[in-house]
Amino acid sequence: MDASVSSALRLSSNPTIPGRSGTRRPPNLVATSRHPSGAAAARLHAVSPSPSSSPPAAAPVESFGFDALKETFSVDVAAAEARPLDVPLAAPFTIASSRLESVSNVAVRVELRSGAVGWGEAPVLPSVTAEDQPAALAAAGRACKALAGVPTAPLGALLQEVAGVLPGHDFASIPIVAPNEAAQLAAKYRGQGFQTLKLKVGKNLNSDIEVLKAIRLVHPDCSFILDANEGYTAEQAIEVLDRLNEMGVTPVLFEQPVHRDDWEGLRDVSVVAMDKYKVAVAADESLEVIDAARKANVALMIGGMVETRIAMGFAGHLAAGLGCFSFIDLDTPLLLSEDPVYGGYEGLFVVKKE
């Protein structure tokens, strides 16, 4: 039998509060003001729920699917807040585009009226995420304000409320239209301040090139994201990149260039795009890619940014629940010089099953 890899989380059976060694607490996460050393902006630990808190009522769940959960699980938010999550690294962490001396992420705390508390983490790496910590903190703050102001609602409605206040895309989309209509849209978007245009392509290669030429006449300095929606063959996708290069155009992203089942084609396009033109390629945008990878016997990997155990804990549960990742790269908490989280899981272990 081929070796498979799964992950398991070991939960702490005896979480303690700083300064109260040996005090046992159930694993509900809340936050103190700051770490005593001042190096970490949020220190999390396990404490007992308020005596007045009543246990949450069981919500009827018809299936384990997330779509069903969004409709059947009701959420009543009592409070939500965002705060800086600053933790020094044990040593500088260098990648091709940047060098990190410390983690400057954003932690989010949400408390329900039932007394349940949840934590989230937004990683920040400006060379990758575009946002710096102040921008991410401001966006998370707006989302928290929206959460706290919503009455009891299904999870799906709550997520829509949050999506409505978070920053939208910093680009405008142009559908597959005639060149003159595309030029009119591009001129309008230029007047509105958009410097990046997402161009739908993939039905006809030559028509796509003509549309792009027309857009360049009215918005010569714009950047492009190409979204083929699986419309090209691998050969056509590579030809598009070649012809754009002849025009002096380098897309910032090439999205879904080939059919989701064409793994060899996706590989070929990705290699040419990155090695020859330094263009990133985005694959299929849904979890269906997991099923397709399994059928094609393609190994999957899950990783993350430089994050604490808040984000890595969620990623570990996701990896364990899906059970389809051959490579699990969730080790960034080991890079931190101190752990800003008390309680929770003690370690993420990779178990190889023969």
Side-chain angles (χ1 to χ4, degrees):
M1 180 181 295
D2 292 338
S4 62
V5 178
S6 63
S7 61
L9 294 176
R10 186 175 70 186
L11 298 179
S12 172
S13 60
N14 185 23
T16 61
I17 298 177
R20 298 185 185 180
S21 177
T23 304
R24 299 191 177 207
R25 305 289 185 181
N28 285 344
L29 291 180
V30 299
T32 59
S33 56
R34 291 185 67 88
H35 182 266
S37 69
R43 185 76 176 178
L44 314 182
H45 61 84
V47 301
S48 298
S50 169
S52 61
S53 300
S54 58
V61 178
E62 297 176 359
S63 79
F64 290 104
F66 186 63
D67 288 339
L69 190 66
K70 288 192 293 184
E71 297 177 0
T72 59
F73 182 69
S74 293
V75 180
D76 189 3
V77 177
E81 62 173 317
R83 61 184 68 179
L85 183 57
D86 299 316
V87 189
L89 296 177
F93 184 76
T94 303
I95 60 176
S97 58
S98 61
R99 172 186 170 95
L100 285 180
E101 302 284 347
S102 63
V103 168
S104 297
N105 293 345
V106 174
V108 175
R109 178 184 185 274
V110 177
E111 181 175 355
L112 304 185
R113 297 195 189 280
S114 65
V117 174
W119 283 91
E121 179 178 357
V124 176
L125 185 59
S127 62
V128 177
T129 62
E131 298 90 359
D132 56 13
Q133 190 186 48
L137 190 61
R142 291 193 295 272
C144 288
K145 184 177 180 180
L147 279 174
V150 175
T152 303
L155 176 61
L158 207 67
L159 293 176
Q160 289 181 351
E161 188 73 22
V162 171
V165 299
L166 288 177
H169 300 299
D170 58 357
F171 56 79
S173 296
I174 296 180
I176 295 178
V177 293
N180 62 333
E181 187 175 352
Q184 292 173 4
L185 289 171
K188 181 182 75 171
Y189 293 143
R190 181 185 184 185
Q192 294 174 348
F194 288 99
Q195 294 300 315
T196 301
L197 300 178
K198 183 174 182 178
L199 183 61
K200 294 290 186 177
V201 295
K203 289 191 68 175
N204 184 292
L205 190 154
N206 291 324
S207 297
D208 294 338
I209 296 297
E210 293 304 314
V211 165
L212 196 140
K213 289 179 179 178
I215 292 173
R216 293 277 286 179
L217 290 176
V218 298
H219 200 341
D221 298 324
C222 72
S223 299
F224 288 98
I225 296 173
L226 299 183
D227 185 0
N229 290 118
E230 308 178 24
Y232 289 137
T233 64
E235 292 76 14
Q236 289 172 327
I238 292 172
E239 182 181 348
V240 166
L241 292 173
D242 291 338
R243 293 177 64 174
L244 292 183
N245 181 67
E246 293 172 359
M247 297 167 52
V249 175
T250 301
V252 296
L253 181 68
F254 199 171
E255 187 176 351
Q256 293 182 284
V258 298
H259 191 273
R260 71 188 69 182
D261 294 331
D262 186 5
W263 290 96
E264 291 186 2
L266 180 63
R267 177 201 60 199
D268 294 343
V269 175
S270 299
V271 169
V272 172
M274 181 54 65
D275 291 353
K276 194 173 181 180
Y277 300 120
K278 304 303 179 186
V279 174
V281 172
D284 181 69
E285 58 201 14
S286 73
L287 286 178
E288 292 177 2
V289 70
I290 292 177
D291 291 332
R294 284 169 167 164
K295 293 176 182 177
N297 198 29
V298 174
L300 291 176
M301 176 178 180
I302 183 172
M305 308 287 282
V306 183
E307 297 155 314
T308 73
R309 288 195 295 128
I310 302 175
M312 289 295 102
F314 173 83
H317 280 86
L318 180 67
L322 293 176
C324 61
F325 297 99
S326 298
F327 304 95
I328 300 176
D329 182 17
L330 303 177
D331 61 346
T332 57
L334 301 177
L335 303 175
L336 307 179
S337 65
E338 56 188 75
D339 186 358
V341 180
Y342 288 157
Y345 73 88
E346 293 180 348
L348 179 61
F349 302 93
V350 177
V351 181
K352 188 173 183 179
K353 297 180 180 179
E354 300 295 338

